Coordinates of all heavy atoms in Angstrom, one line a residue:
G46 N 46.8 34.4 106.9 CA 46.1 33.4 106.2 C 47.0 32.1 106.2 O 48.1 32.1 106.6
Q47 N 46.4 31.0 105.7 CA 47.0 29.7 105.8 C 48.2 29.6 104.9 O 49.1 28.7 105.1 CB 46.1 28.6 105.6 CG 45.8 28.3 104.1 CD 45.0 27.0 103.9 OE1 44.5 26.5 104.9 NE2 44.9 26.5 102.7
D48 N 48.3 30.4 103.9 CA 49.5 30.3 103.0 C 50.4 31.5 103.1 O 51.2 31.7 102.2 CB 49.0 30.1 101.5 CG 48.2 31.2 100.9 OD1 47.8 32.1 101.7 OD2 48.0 31.2 99.7
H49 N 50.3 32.3 104.1 CA 51.2 33.5 104.3 C 52.5 32.9 104.8 O 52.6 31.9 105.5 CB 50.6 34.4 105.4 CG 51.4 35.6 105.6 ND1 52.5 35.7 106.3 CD2 51.1 36.9 105.1 CE1 53.0 37.0 106.2 NE2 52.1 37.7 105.5
L50 N 53.6 33.5 104.3 CA 54.9 33.1 104.6 C 55.1 32.8 106.1 O 55.7 31.8 106.5 CB 56.0 34.0 104.1 CG 57.5 33.7 104.4 CD1 57.8 32.3 103.8 CD2 58.4 34.8 103.9
T51 N 54.7 33.8 107.0 CA 54.8 33.6 108.4 C 54.1 32.4 108.9 O 54.7 31.6 109.8 CB 54.3 34.8 109.1 OG1 55.1 36.0 108.7 CG2 54.6 34.7 110.6
T52 N 52.9 32.1 108.4 CA 52.2 30.9 108.8 C 52.9 29.6 108.4 O 53.1 28.7 109.2 CB 50.8 30.9 108.2 OG1 50.1 32.1 108.5 CG2 50.0 29.7 108.6
L53 N 53.5 29.6 107.2 CA 54.2 28.5 106.7 C 55.5 28.2 107.5 O 55.8 27.0 107.8 CB 54.5 28.7 105.2 CG 53.3 28.8 104.3 CD1 53.7 29.1 102.8 CD2 52.4 27.6 104.3
V54 N 56.2 29.2 107.8 CA 57.4 29.1 108.6 C 57.0 28.6 110.0 O 57.7 27.8 110.5 CB 58.2 30.4 108.6 CG1 59.3 30.3 109.6 CG2 58.8 30.7 107.2
T55 N 56.0 29.1 110.5 CA 55.5 28.7 111.8 C 55.1 27.2 111.8 O 55.4 26.5 112.8 CB 54.3 29.6 112.3 OG1 54.8 30.9 112.4 CG2 53.9 29.1 113.7
M56 N 54.5 26.8 110.8 CA 54.1 25.3 110.6 C 55.4 24.5 110.7 O 55.5 23.5 111.4 CB 53.4 25.1 109.4 CG 52.0 25.6 109.4 SD 51.1 25.4 107.8 CE 50.9 23.7 107.7
N57 N 56.4 24.9 109.9 CA 57.7 24.2 109.9 C 58.3 24.2 111.3 O 58.8 23.2 111.8 CB 58.7 24.9 108.9 CG 60.0 24.2 108.9 OD1 60.2 23.1 108.5 ND2 61.0 24.9 109.5
N58 N 58.3 25.3 112.0 CA 58.9 25.4 113.3 C 58.1 24.5 114.3 O 58.8 23.9 115.2 CB 58.9 26.9 113.8 CG 59.8 27.7 113.0 OD1 60.7 27.3 112.3 ND2 59.6 29.0 113.1
L59 N 56.8 24.4 114.2 CA 56.0 23.5 115.1 C 56.5 22.1 114.8 O 56.7 21.3 115.8 CB 54.5 23.7 114.8 CG 53.6 22.7 115.5 CD1 53.8 22.7 117.0 CD2 52.2 22.9 115.1
A60 N 56.6 21.7 113.6 CA 57.0 20.4 113.2 C 58.4 20.1 113.7 O 58.7 19.0 114.2 CB 56.9 20.2 111.7
V61 N 59.3 21.1 113.7 CA 60.7 20.9 114.2 C 60.6 20.6 115.7 O 61.2 19.7 116.2 CB 61.5 22.1 114.0 CG1 62.8 22.1 114.8 CG2 61.9 22.3 112.5
A62 N 59.8 21.4 116.4 CA 59.6 21.2 117.9 C 59.0 19.8 118.2 O 59.5 19.1 119.1 CB 58.7 22.3 118.5
L63 N 58.0 19.4 117.4 CA 57.5 18.1 117.6 C 58.5 17.0 117.4 O 58.6 16.0 118.2 CB 56.2 17.9 116.7 CG 55.0 18.7 117.1 CD1 54.0 18.7 116.0 CD2 54.4 18.2 118.4
S64 N 59.2 17.1 116.3 CA 60.3 16.1 116.0 C 61.3 16.1 117.0 O 61.8 15.0 117.5 CB 60.9 16.4 114.6 OG 61.8 15.4 114.2
D65 N 61.8 17.2 117.5 CA 62.8 17.3 118.6 C 62.3 16.7 119.8 O 63.1 16.2 120.6 CB 63.2 18.7 118.8 CG 64.1 19.3 117.7 OD1 64.6 18.5 116.8 OD2 64.3 20.5 117.7
A66 N 61.0 16.7 120.1 CA 60.4 16.1 121.3 C 60.1 14.6 121.1 O 59.6 14.0 122.0 CB 59.1 16.8 121.6
G67 N 60.6 14.1 119.9 CA 60.4 12.7 119.7 C 59.0 12.3 119.2 O 58.6 11.1 119.2
Q68 N 58.3 13.3 118.8 CA 56.9 13.0 118.3 C 56.8 13.1 116.8 O 56.0 13.9 116.2 CB 55.9 14.1 119.0 CG 55.9 14.0 120.5 CD 54.9 14.9 121.1 OE1 53.9 15.3 120.5 NE2 55.3 15.4 122.3
N69 N 57.6 12.3 116.1 CA 57.6 12.3 114.7 C 56.3 11.9 114.1 O 56.0 12.4 113.0 CB 58.7 11.4 114.2 CG 60.1 12.0 114.4 OD1 60.4 13.1 114.1 ND2 60.9 11.2 115.0
D70 N 55.5 11.1 114.7 CA 54.2 10.8 114.2 C 53.3 12.0 114.1 O 52.4 12.0 113.2 CB 53.5 9.7 115.1 CG 53.4 10.1 116.5 OD1 54.3 10.8 117.1 OD2 52.4 9.7 117.2
R71 N 53.5 13.0 115.0 CA 52.8 14.2 114.9 C 53.5 15.2 114.0 O 52.8 16.1 113.4 CB 52.6 14.8 116.3 CG 51.6 14.0 117.1 CD 51.4 14.6 118.5 NE 50.8 15.9 118.4 CZ 50.9 16.9 119.4 NH1 51.6 16.6 120.5 NH2 50.4 18.1 119.2
A72 N 54.8 15.2 113.9 CA 55.5 16.2 113.1 C 55.4 15.9 111.6 O 55.2 16.9 110.9 CB 57.0 16.1 113.5
V73 N 55.4 14.7 111.2 CA 55.4 14.4 109.8 C 54.2 15.0 109.1 O 54.3 15.7 108.0 CB 55.5 12.9 109.5 CG1 55.2 12.5 108.1 CG2 57.0 12.4 109.9
P74 N 53.0 14.8 109.6 CA 51.8 15.5 108.9 C 51.9 17.0 108.8 O 51.4 17.6 107.8 CB 50.6 15.0 109.7 CG 51.0 13.9 110.5 CD 52.5 14.0 110.7
V75 N 52.4 17.6 109.9 CA 52.6 19.1 109.8 C 53.6 19.5 108.8 O 53.4 20.4 108.0 CB 53.0 19.6 111.2 CG1 53.2 21.1 111.2 CG2 51.9 19.2 112.3
Y76 N 54.7 18.8 108.7 CA 55.7 19.1 107.7 C 55.1 18.9 106.3 O 55.3 19.7 105.4 CB 56.9 18.1 107.8 CG 58.0 18.4 108.8 CD1 58.4 17.5 109.6 CD2 58.6 19.7 108.8 CE1 59.4 17.8 110.6 CE2 59.6 20.0 109.7 CZ 60.0 19.0 110.6 OH 61.0 19.3 111.4
E77 N 54.4 17.8 106.1 CA 53.8 17.5 104.8 C 52.8 18.6 104.4 O 52.8 19.0 103.2 CB 53.1 16.1 104.8 CG 54.1 15.0 104.9 CD 53.4 13.6 105.1 OE1 52.3 13.5 105.6 OE2 54.1 12.6 104.7
A78 N 52.0 19.0 105.3 CA 51.0 20.1 105.0 C 51.7 21.4 104.7 O 51.4 22.1 103.7 CB 50.1 20.3 106.2
A79 N 52.8 21.7 105.5 CA 53.5 23.0 105.2 C 54.2 22.9 103.9 O 54.2 23.8 103.1 CB 54.6 23.2 106.3
L80 N 54.8 21.7 103.6 CA 55.5 21.6 102.3 C 54.6 21.7 101.1 O 54.9 22.3 100.1 CB 56.3 20.2 102.3 CG 57.1 20.0 101.1 CD1 58.2 21.1 100.9 CD2 57.8 18.6 101.2
K81 N 53.4 21.1 101.2 CA 52.5 21.2 100.1 C 52.1 22.6 99.8 O 52.1 23.1 98.7 CB 51.2 20.4 100.5 CG 50.2 20.4 99.4 CD 49.0 19.5 99.8 CE 47.9 19.6 98.7 NZ 46.7 18.8 99.1
L82 N 51.8 23.4 100.9 CA 51.5 24.8 100.7 C 52.7 25.6 100.2 O 52.5 26.5 99.4 CB 50.9 25.4 102.0 CG 49.6 24.9 102.5 CD1 49.3 25.3 103.9 CD2 48.5 25.3 101.6
M83 N 53.9 25.3 100.7 CA 55.1 26.1 100.3 C 55.4 25.9 98.8 O 55.7 26.8 98.1 CB 56.3 25.7 101.1 CG 56.3 26.2 102.5 SD 57.7 25.6 103.4 CE 57.5 26.4 105.0
R84 N 55.2 24.6 98.4 CA 55.5 24.4 97.0 C 54.6 25.2 96.0 O 55.0 25.6 95.0 CB 55.4 22.9 96.7 CG 56.6 22.1 97.2 CD 56.4 20.6 96.9 NE 57.7 19.9 97.2 CZ 57.7 18.6 97.4 NH1 56.6 17.8 97.4 NH2 58.9 18.0 97.7
V85 N 53.3 25.3 96.5 CA 52.4 26.1 95.7 C 52.6 27.6 95.8 O 52.7 28.3 94.8 CB 50.9 25.8 96.1 CG1 49.9 26.7 95.4 CG2 50.6 24.3 95.7
K86 N 52.8 28.1 97.0 CA 52.9 29.5 97.3 C 54.2 30.1 97.0 O 54.4 31.1 96.4 CB 52.5 29.8 98.8 CG 52.7 31.2 99.2 CD 51.6 32.1 98.7 CE 51.7 33.5 99.3 NZ 50.6 34.3 98.8
L87 N 55.3 29.4 97.4 CA 56.7 29.9 97.3 C 57.4 29.3 96.1 O 58.4 29.9 95.7 CB 57.4 29.6 98.6 CG 56.8 30.1 99.8 CD1 57.6 29.7 101.1 CD2 56.6 31.6 99.8
G88 N 57.0 28.1 95.7 CA 57.8 27.4 94.6 C 58.7 26.4 95.2 O 59.1 26.4 96.3
P89 N 59.0 25.4 94.4 CA 59.8 24.2 94.8 C 61.3 24.6 95.2 O 61.9 23.9 96.0 CB 59.8 23.3 93.7 CG 59.6 24.1 92.5 CD 58.7 25.2 93.0
D90 N 61.8 25.7 94.7 CA 63.2 26.0 94.9 C 63.4 27.2 95.9 O 64.5 27.7 96.0 CB 64.0 26.2 93.6 CG 63.4 27.3 92.8 OD1 62.3 27.9 93.1 OD2 64.0 27.7 91.8
H91 N 62.3 27.7 96.5 CA 62.4 28.7 97.6 C 63.2 28.2 98.8 O 63.0 27.0 99.1 CB 61.0 29.2 97.9 CG 61.0 30.4 98.8 ND1 61.2 30.3 100.2 CD2 60.9 31.7 98.5 CE1 61.2 31.5 100.7 NE2 61.0 32.4 99.7
R92 N 64.0 29.0 99.4 CA 64.8 28.5 100.6 C 63.9 27.9 101.6 O 64.3 26.8 102.1 CB 65.6 29.7 101.2 CG 66.4 29.2 102.3 CD 67.2 30.3 103.0 NE 67.9 29.9 104.1 CZ 67.3 29.8 105.4 NH1 66.1 30.2 105.5 NH2 68.0 29.3 106.4
E93 N 62.8 28.5 102.0 CA 61.9 27.9 103.0 C 61.3 26.5 102.6 O 61.2 25.6 103.4 CB 60.8 28.9 103.4 CG 61.3 30.1 104.1 CD 62.0 29.9 105.4 OE1 61.8 28.9 106.1 OE2 62.8 30.8 105.8
T94 N 61.0 26.4 101.3 CA 60.5 25.1 100.8 C 61.6 24.1 100.9 O 61.3 22.9 101.3 CB 60.1 25.3 99.4 OG1 59.1 26.3 99.3 CG2 59.5 24.0 98.8
L95 N 62.8 24.4 100.6 CA 63.9 23.5 100.6 C 64.2 23.1 102.0 O 64.5 21.9 102.3 CB 65.1 24.1 99.9 CG 65.0 24.4 98.5 CD1 66.2 25.2 97.9 CD2 64.8 23.1 97.7
V96 N 64.2 24.0 103.0 CA 64.5 23.7 104.4 C 63.4 22.7 104.9 O 63.7 21.8 105.6 CB 64.6 25.0 105.2 CG1 64.6 24.7 106.7 CG2 65.9 25.7 104.9
T97 N 62.2 23.0 104.6 CA 61.1 22.2 105.0 C 61.2 20.8 104.4 O 60.9 19.8 105.1 CB 59.7 22.8 104.8 OG1 59.7 24.1 105.5 CG2 58.6 21.9 105.2
T98 N 61.6 20.7 103.1 CA 61.8 19.4 102.5 C 62.8 18.6 103.2 O 62.6 17.4 103.5 CB 62.2 19.6 101.0 OG1 61.2 20.3 100.3 CG2 62.4 18.3 100.3
N99 N 63.9 19.2 103.6 CA 65.0 18.6 104.3 C 64.5 18.1 105.7 O 64.8 17.1 106.2 CB 66.2 19.5 104.4 CG 67.4 18.7 104.9 OD1 67.9 17.8 104.3 ND2 67.9 19.2 106.1
N100 N 63.8 19.0 106.4 CA 63.3 18.7 107.7 C 62.3 17.5 107.7 O 62.4 16.7 108.6 CB 62.6 19.9 108.3 CG 63.6 21.0 108.7 OD1 64.8 20.8 108.7 ND2 63.1 22.2 109.0
L101 N 61.4 17.5 106.7 CA 60.5 16.4 106.6 C 61.3 15.1 106.3 O 61.0 14.1 107.0 CB 59.5 16.6 105.4 CG 58.7 15.4 105.0 CD1 57.8 14.9 106.2 CD2 57.8 15.8 103.8
A102 N 62.3 15.1 105.5 CA 63.1 13.9 105.2 C 63.8 13.5 106.5 O 63.8 12.3 106.8 CB 64.1 14.3 104.1
F103 N 64.3 14.4 107.3 CA 64.9 14.0 108.5 C 64.0 13.4 109.5 O 64.3 12.4 110.2 CB 65.6 15.3 109.2 CG 66.5 14.9 110.3 CD1 67.7 14.3 110.1 CD2 66.2 15.3 111.6 CE1 68.6 14.0 111.1 CE2 67.0 15.0 112.6 CZ 68.2 14.3 112.4
A104 N 62.7 13.9 109.6 CA 61.7 13.3 110.5 C 61.3 11.9 110.0 O 61.1 11.0 110.8 CB 60.5 14.2 110.5
L105 N 61.3 11.8 108.7 CA 61.0 10.4 108.1 C 62.1 9.5 108.4 O 61.9 8.3 108.7 CB 60.7 10.5 106.6 CG 59.4 11.2 106.2 CD1 59.4 11.6 104.7 CD2 58.2 10.3 106.6
Q106 N 63.3 9.9 108.3 CA 64.5 9.1 108.7 C 64.4 8.7 110.1 O 64.6 7.5 110.4 CB 65.8 9.9 108.4 CG 67.0 9.1 108.8 CD 68.3 9.9 108.7 OE1 68.2 11.1 108.6 NE2 69.4 9.3 108.7
R107 N 64.1 9.6 111.0 CA 64.0 9.3 112.4 C 62.9 8.2 112.7 O 62.9 7.5 113.6 CB 63.6 10.5 113.2 CG 64.8 11.4 113.5 CD 64.3 12.6 114.2 NE 65.4 13.2 115.0 CZ 65.3 14.2 115.8 NH1 64.1 14.8 115.9 NH2 66.3 14.7 116.5
S108 N 61.9 8.2 111.8 CA 60.7 7.3 111.9 C 61.0 6.0 111.2 O 60.1 5.1 111.0 CB 59.5 7.9 111.3 OG 59.1 9.1 112.1
R109 N 62.3 5.8 110.7 CA 62.7 4.6 109.9 C 61.9 4.4 108.6 O 61.7 3.3 108.2 CB 62.6 3.4 110.8 CG 63.3 3.5 112.1 CD 64.8 3.1 111.9 NE 65.5 3.0 113.1 CZ 66.6 3.6 113.4 NH1 67.2 4.3 112.4 NH2 67.2 3.4 114.5
R110 N 61.4 5.5 108.0 CA 60.7 5.5 106.8 C 61.6 5.9 105.7 O 61.4 6.9 105.0 CB 59.4 6.3 106.9 CG 58.5 5.8 107.9 CD 57.4 6.7 108.3 NE 56.5 7.1 107.2 CZ 55.6 8.1 107.3 NH1 55.4 8.6 108.5 NH2 54.9 8.4 106.3
L111 N 62.7 5.2 105.5 CA 63.8 5.6 104.6 C 63.4 5.6 103.2 O 63.9 6.3 102.4 CB 65.0 4.6 104.8 CG 65.6 4.7 106.2 CD1 66.8 3.7 106.3 CD2 66.1 6.1 106.6
D112 N 62.4 4.8 102.8 CA 61.9 4.7 101.4 C 61.3 6.1 101.0 O 61.4 6.4 99.8 CB 60.9 3.6 101.2 CG 59.7 3.8 102.2 OD1 59.8 4.1 103.4 OD2 58.5 3.5 101.7
K113 N 60.8 6.8 102.0 CA 60.3 8.2 101.7 C 61.3 9.3 102.0 O 61.3 10.3 101.3 CB 59.0 8.4 102.5 CG 57.9 7.6 102.1 CD 56.6 8.0 102.8 CE 55.5 7.1 102.2 NZ 54.2 7.6 102.6
A114 N 62.2 9.0 103.0 CA 63.2 10.0 103.4 C 64.3 10.2 102.3 O 64.6 11.4 102.0 CB 63.8 9.6 104.7
I115 N 64.8 9.2 101.8 CA 65.9 9.3 100.8 C 65.6 10.1 99.6 O 66.4 11.0 99.3 CB 66.5 7.9 100.5 CG1 67.1 7.3 101.7 CG2 67.5 8.0 99.3 CD1 67.5 5.8 101.6
P116 N 64.5 9.9 98.9 CA 64.2 10.7 97.8 C 64.0 12.2 98.1 O 64.4 13.1 97.3 CB 62.9 10.2 97.2 CG 62.8 8.8 97.7 CD 63.5 8.8 99.0
L117 N 63.5 12.5 99.3 CA 63.3 13.9 99.7 C 64.7 14.5 100.0 O 64.9 15.7 99.7 CB 62.4 14.0 100.9 CG 60.9 13.8 100.7 CD1 60.1 13.8 102.0 CD2 60.4 14.9 99.7
F118 N 65.6 13.8 100.7 CA 66.9 14.2 100.9 C 67.6 14.6 99.6 O 68.3 15.6 99.4 CB 67.8 13.2 101.7 CG 67.6 13.2 103.2 CD1 67.4 12.0 103.8 CD2 67.7 14.4 103.9 CE1 67.3 12.0 105.2 CE2 67.5 14.4 105.3 CZ 67.3 13.2 105.9
E119 N 67.5 13.6 98.6 CA 68.1 13.8 97.3 C 67.6 15.1 96.6 O 68.3 15.9 96.0 CB 68.0 12.6 96.5 CG 68.8 11.4 97.0 CD 68.5 10.1 96.3 OE1 67.4 9.9 95.6 OE2 69.3 9.2 96.4
E120 N 66.2 15.2 96.6 CA 65.6 16.4 96.0 C 66.1 17.7 96.7 O 66.4 18.6 96.0 CB 64.1 16.3 96.1 CG 63.3 17.5 95.7 CD 61.8 17.4 96.0 OE1 61.3 16.3 96.4 OE2 61.2 18.4 95.9
A121 N 66.1 17.7 98.0 CA 66.5 18.9 98.7 C 67.9 19.3 98.4 O 68.2 20.5 98.1 CB 66.3 18.8 100.2
L122 N 68.8 18.3 98.4 CA 70.2 18.6 98.2 C 70.4 19.1 96.7 O 71.1 20.1 96.5 CB 71.0 17.3 98.4 CG 72.5 17.5 98.2 CD1 73.1 18.6 99.1 CD2 73.2 16.1 98.4
K123 N 69.8 18.5 95.8 CA 69.9 18.9 94.4 C 69.5 20.3 94.2 O 70.2 21.1 93.6 CB 69.1 17.9 93.5 CG 69.2 18.3 92.0 CD 68.3 17.4 91.2 CE 68.3 17.9 89.8 NZ 67.3 17.1 88.9
L124 N 68.3 20.7 94.7 CA 67.8 22.0 94.5 C 68.6 23.0 95.4 O 68.8 24.2 94.9 CB 66.3 22.1 94.9 CG 65.4 21.4 93.9 CD1 64.0 21.3 94.4 CD2 65.4 22.1 92.6
M125 N 69.1 22.6 96.5 CA 69.9 23.6 97.3 C 71.2 23.9 96.6 O 71.6 25.0 96.6 CB 70.1 23.0 98.7 CG 68.9 23.1 99.6 SD 69.3 22.4 101.3 CE 67.8 22.6 102.1
R126 N 71.8 22.9 96.1 CA 73.1 23.1 95.4 C 72.8 24.1 94.2 O 73.6 25.0 94.0 CB 73.6 21.8 94.8 CG 74.4 21.0 95.9 CD 74.9 19.7 95.3 NE 75.8 19.0 96.2 CZ 76.0 17.7 96.2 NH1 75.4 16.9 95.3 NH2 76.8 17.2 97.1
A127 N 71.7 23.9 93.5 CA 71.4 24.7 92.3 C 71.0 26.1 92.7 O 71.4 27.1 92.0 CB 70.4 24.0 91.5
T128 N 70.2 26.2 93.8 CA 69.7 27.5 94.1 C 70.5 28.3 95.1 O 70.7 29.5 94.9 CB 68.3 27.3 94.8 OG1 67.5 26.5 93.9 CG2 67.6 28.6 95.1
L129 N 71.0 27.6 96.1 CA 71.7 28.3 97.2 C 73.3 28.2 97.0 O 74.0 29.0 97.6 CB 71.4 27.7 98.6 CG 69.9 27.7 98.9 CD1 69.6 27.0 100.2 CD2 69.3 29.1 99.0
G130 N 73.7 27.3 96.3 CA 75.1 27.1 96.0 C 75.7 26.0 96.9 O 75.1 25.6 98.0
P131 N 76.8 25.4 96.5 CA 77.3 24.2 97.2 C 77.9 24.5 98.6 O 78.0 23.6 99.4 CB 78.4 23.7 96.3 CG 78.9 24.9 95.5 CD 77.6 25.7 95.4
D132 N 78.2 25.8 98.9 CA 78.9 26.1 100.2 C 77.9 26.8 101.2 O 78.3 27.2 102.3 CB 80.0 27.1 100.0 CG 81.1 26.4 99.1 OD1 81.3 25.2 99.3 OD2 81.8 27.1 98.4
H133 N 76.6 26.9 100.8 CA 75.6 27.6 101.7 C 75.4 26.6 102.9 O 75.4 25.4 102.8 CB 74.3 27.8 100.9 CG 73.3 28.6 101.7 ND1 72.5 28.1 102.7 CD2 73.0 29.9 101.6 CE1 71.7 29.1 103.1 NE2 72.0 30.2 102.5
S134 N 75.2 27.2 104.0 CA 75.0 26.4 105.3 C 73.8 25.4 105.2 O 73.9 24.3 105.7 CB 74.9 27.3 106.5 OG 73.7 28.1 106.4
D135 N 72.7 25.8 104.5 CA 71.6 24.9 104.3 C 72.0 23.7 103.4 O 71.5 22.6 103.7 CB 70.4 25.6 103.8 CG 69.8 26.6 104.8 OD1 70.0 26.5 106.0 OD2 69.1 27.5 104.3
T136 N 72.7 24.0 102.4 CA 73.2 23.0 101.5 C 74.1 22.0 102.2 O 73.9 20.8 102.1 CB 74.0 23.5 100.3 OG1 73.1 24.5 99.6 CG2 74.4 22.5 99.3
L137 N 75.0 22.5 103.0 CA 75.9 21.6 103.8 C 75.1 20.8 104.8 O 75.4 19.6 105.0 CB 77.0 22.5 104.5 CG 77.9 23.2 103.5 CD1 78.8 24.1 104.3 CD2 78.7 22.2 102.6
T138 N 74.1 21.4 105.4 CA 73.2 20.6 106.3 C 72.5 19.5 105.6 O 72.5 18.3 106.1 CB 72.2 21.5 107.0 OG1 72.9 22.5 107.8 CG2 71.2 20.7 107.9
A139 N 72.0 19.8 104.4 CA 71.3 18.8 103.6 C 72.3 17.7 103.2 O 72.0 16.5 103.2 CB 70.7 19.4 102.4
L140 N 73.5 18.0 102.9 CA 74.5 17.1 102.5 C 74.9 16.2 103.7 O 75.0 14.9 103.6 CB 75.8 17.8 102.0 CG 77.0 16.9 101.6 CD1 76.6 16.0 100.5 CD2 78.1 17.8 101.2
K141 N 75.0 16.7 104.9 CA 75.3 16.0 106.1 C 74.1 15.0 106.4 O 74.4 13.8 106.7 CB 75.4 16.9 107.3 CG 75.6 16.2 108.6 CD 75.6 17.2 109.8 CE 74.3 17.8 110.0 NZ 73.4 17.2 110.9
N142 N 72.9 15.4 106.2 CA 71.8 14.6 106.5 C 71.7 13.4 105.5 O 71.4 12.3 105.8 CB 70.4 15.4 106.5 CG 70.3 16.3 107.6 OD1 71.0 16.1 108.6 ND2 69.5 17.3 107.5

């Protein structure tokens, strides 16, 4: 189904591939759709939701849409520190970004 964990992770992975291919205009809507479903299905502090939040922020940064990227980076980092801990590899990636 559209909100199954495997589907949601696959959506994130597709968006990562699009972004890596320099197609951020195609990646951002996929990230946004995945994130919307993840927040409802998994919750805002689930690891997959947090990773997708950070990935969307990174794609927005690449698209020079910093007004949208920065708040998402801040949200992801705050929740990752609280949920995963300050030394978790995902938290450190969010901090770097």
